[in-house]
């Protein structure tokens, strides 16, 4: 049996802009997606937390009951198919996914599902991939499924820690700790859908869009310096700026906008949405008042402590 644990992630700065080549900063957290892979006479995928509760699909015929099912399973299915296509092998297995959070809430669950199956299923097939190789393959798969997207989520969930993604590619670990209060509410759209909406804004108003995106990029680079200096006042101020720019991109949601502006009036150091937006996750620099504000919008508070560990793969002889 193969057991995999994948950290989920918070986007501290730069979501959406990173898709267009700007920098970003993200952090792996202690909320872990668990994936178990055992030998089985058929290819079966089970998942505990999808919106279609207790889903179980027989992948032999690759028949999916509905449009909704195929959409919801697209990341997992594409990952399994990837190995058949690229490695020319397919070994039947029971793949069980257990997520600590709801799907599609801005915490990188799509990336974690891909990273977990890439890491676990490749080991099940007898390959020993490095975390970097897992990240690279996973980014390719997420991009294929979504049509749009950056390396940020798949690299953060594969590698762990606090990571700066510079303009133009690559990544750099930031050796600092940053304490966050975070929670999530349900979203009105998936990240893939929101990415398409942002792209249409770019097509409608390219110069305005580019100004917004490059302003987010500048905010990210200032935030990197502030994080390295441990300057919480500056980090927090830049979180509010980043949230305002994301609001201009149209990816925030009124309850979260109200929360962020209330937080600023109350004197909390910094808050912003995290991830694709349209609801989902909100992060604040650690503050007890942030938990209270998050609970007023019905947000589920998560374990946002940093996970220095990336994807962990264990082989257990039964
Ligand atoms: N437990 C799960 N089992 C199987 N697939 C899952 C699970 N959780 C999430 N997914 C897949 O990920 C998709 C959600 O991805 P989406 O990118 O919208 O959200 P996210 O990754 O959590 O947020 P963000 O990309 O903003 O960080 C779901 O529609 C489903 O296909
Ligand atoms: C919105 C986005 O920037 C972050 C989603 O968690 C998309 C991506 O980077 O692939
Ligand atoms: Mg995602």
């Amino acid at each position: 049996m193969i057991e995999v644990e994948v950290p989920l992630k918070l986007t501290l700065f730069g979501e959406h802009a990173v898709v267009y080549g700007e920098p970003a900063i993200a952090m792996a957290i202690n909320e872990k997606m668990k994936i178990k892979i055992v030998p089985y006479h058929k290819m079966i995928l089970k998942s505990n937390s999808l919106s279609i509760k207790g889903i179980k699909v027989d992948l032999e015929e690759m028949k999916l009951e509905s449009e909704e099912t195929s959409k919801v399973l697209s990341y997992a299915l594409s990952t399994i198919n990837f190995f058949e296509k690229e490695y020319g092998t397919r070994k039947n297995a029971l793949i069980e996914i257990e997520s600590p959070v709801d799907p599609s809430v801005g915490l990188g669950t799509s990336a974690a599902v891909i990273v977990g199956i890439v890491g676990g299923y490749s080991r099940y097939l007898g390959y020993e991939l490095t975390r970097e190789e897992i990240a690279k393959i996973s980014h390719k798969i997420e991009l294929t499924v979504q049509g749009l997207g950056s390396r940020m989520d798949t690299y953060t969930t594969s590698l762990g820690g606090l990571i700066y993604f510079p303009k133009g590619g690559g990544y750099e670990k930031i050796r600092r700790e940053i304490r966050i209060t975070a929670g999530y509410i349900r979203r009105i759209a998936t990240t893939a859908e929101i990415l398409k909406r942002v792209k249409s804004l770019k097509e409608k108003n390219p110069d305005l869009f580019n100004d917004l995106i490059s302003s987010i990029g500048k905010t990210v680079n200032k935030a990197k310096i502030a994080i390295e200096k441990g300057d919480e006042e500056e980090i927090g101020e830049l979180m509010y700026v980043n949230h305002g720019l994301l609001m201009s991109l149209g990816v925030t949601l009124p309850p979260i906008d109200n929360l962020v502006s209330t937080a600023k009036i109350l004197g909390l150091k910094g808050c912003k949405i995290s991830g694709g937006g349209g609801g989902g996750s909100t992060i604040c620099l650690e503050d007890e008042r942030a938990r209270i504000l998050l609970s007023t919008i019905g947000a589920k508070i998560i374990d946002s402590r940093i996970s220095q560990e990336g994807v962990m793969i264990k082989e257990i002889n039964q």
Side-chain angles (χ1 to χ4, degrees):
M1 170 168 66
I2 307 286
E3 277 189 355
V4 192
E5 278 198 4
V6 195
L8 299 182
K9 62 88 203 166
L10 298 175
T11 308
L12 300 185
F13 293 93
E15 53 272 87
H16 288 290
V18 67
V19 175
Y20 296 93
E22 291 296 332
I25 301 173
M27 178 169 101
I29 58 172
N30 261 4
E31 294 286 0
K32 310 270 174 133
M33 187 170 279
K34 294 189 177 77
I35 293 179
K36 222 184 273 178
I37 302 179
V38 294
Y40 207 62
H41 61 283
K42 308 175 84 166
M43 189 65 103
I44 295 280
L45 181 66
K46 275 176 81 175
S47 180
N48 70 324
S49 73
L50 284 176
S51 39
I52 314 163
K53 277 283 167 212
I55 191 169
K56 186 174 166 189
V57 175
D58 177 339
L59 303 181
E60 211 50 42
E61 288 72 47
M62 295 303 277
K63 267 206 309 287
L64 293 166
E65 290 86 16
S66 70
E67 174 62 23
E68 167 64 9
T69 320
S70 52
K71 196 177 89 175
V72 144
L73 284 179
S74 50
Y75 294 91
L77 293 179
S78 307
T79 308
I80 297 166
N81 292 334
F82 168 85
F83 284 93
E84 196 158 354
K85 211 160 88 251
E86 300 287 321
Y87 289 59
T89 44
R90 177 196 172 106
K91 203 171 141 197
N92 282 339
L94 169 62
I95 301 176
E96 209 159 350
I97 302 170
E98 197 192 315
S99 174
V101 300
D102 294 315
S104 199
V105 289
L107 293 171
T109 59
S110 61
V113 163
I114 298 171
V115 164
I117 298 178
V118 168
Y121 193 62
S122 58
R123 186 66 66 85
Y124 179 69
L125 295 176
Y127 299 98
E128 296 264 344
L129 299 181
T130 65
R131 285 192 172 117
E132 185 120 11
E133 286 167 330
I134 292 171
K136 200 158 172 234
I137 292 171
S138 301
H139 170 40
K140 207 168 127 186
I141 295 171
E142 190 172 54
L143 203 47
T144 313
V145 175
Q146 289 178 177
L148 268 172
S150 80
R151 66 197 185 288
M152 176 175 64
D153 291 1
T154 43
Y155 274 72
T156 304
T157 53
S158 299
L159 303 172
L162 177 60
I163 306 181
Y164 169 68
F165 296 92
K167 200 178 171 89
Y171 67 89
E172 180 193 319
K173 287 257 181 147
I174 303 177
R175 307 276 172 213
R176 298 288 306 204
E177 295 266 326
I178 183 162
R179 284 188 309 285
I180 296 281
T181 301
Y184 70 85
I185 59 173
R186 282 204 171 279
R187 282 167 59 172
I188 53 168
T190 62
T191 298
E193 288 153 354
I194 297 168
L195 283 167
K196 287 191 186 82
R197 286 188 214 159
V198 170
K199 187 161 176 264
S200 61
L201 174 70
K202 174 176 178 357
E203 284 151 3
K204 215 162 50 194
N205 226 321
D207 48 351
L208 180 63
F209 178 86
N210 292 336
D211 288 348
L212 284 172
I213 291 297
S214 65
S215 299
I216 294 177
K218 285 189 195 110
T219 308
V220 174
N221 285 331
K222 288 177 181 294
K224 179 177 185 278
I225 297 165
I227 292 170
E228 285 166 340
K229 282 192 316 198
D231 181 348
E232 283 215 337
E233 295 300 323
E234 175 73 353
I235 297 168
E237 192 48 49
L238 293 165
M239 287 170 81
Y240 285 123
V241 168
N242 195 166
H243 183 84
L245 292 165
L246 288 166
M247 198 174 162
S248 308
L249 281 181
V251 300
T252 63
L253 209 63
I256 295 178
D257 291 337
N258 298 334
L259 182 148
V260 171
S261 38
T262 307
K264 192 164 168 65
I265 293 163
L266 292 175
L268 276 74
K269 288 199 186 103
C271 293
K272 68 178 276 289
I273 64 159
S274 173
S281 297
T282 303
I283 58 172
C284 297
L285 285 179
E286 194 173 57
D287 190 312
E288 194 43 41
R289 293 170 295 173
R291 294 175 74 91
I292 298 165
L293 281 174
L294 285 164
S295 60
T296 62
I297 62 168
K300 183 168 182 279
I301 305 295
I302 57 163
D303 182 351
S304 52
R305 286 170 298 167
I306 189 168
S307 166
Q308 296 298 353
E309 288 293 351
V311 59
M312 297 290 288
I313 303 160
K314 273 191 292 188
E315 288 186 64
I316 299 163
N317 297 321
Q318 283 169 305

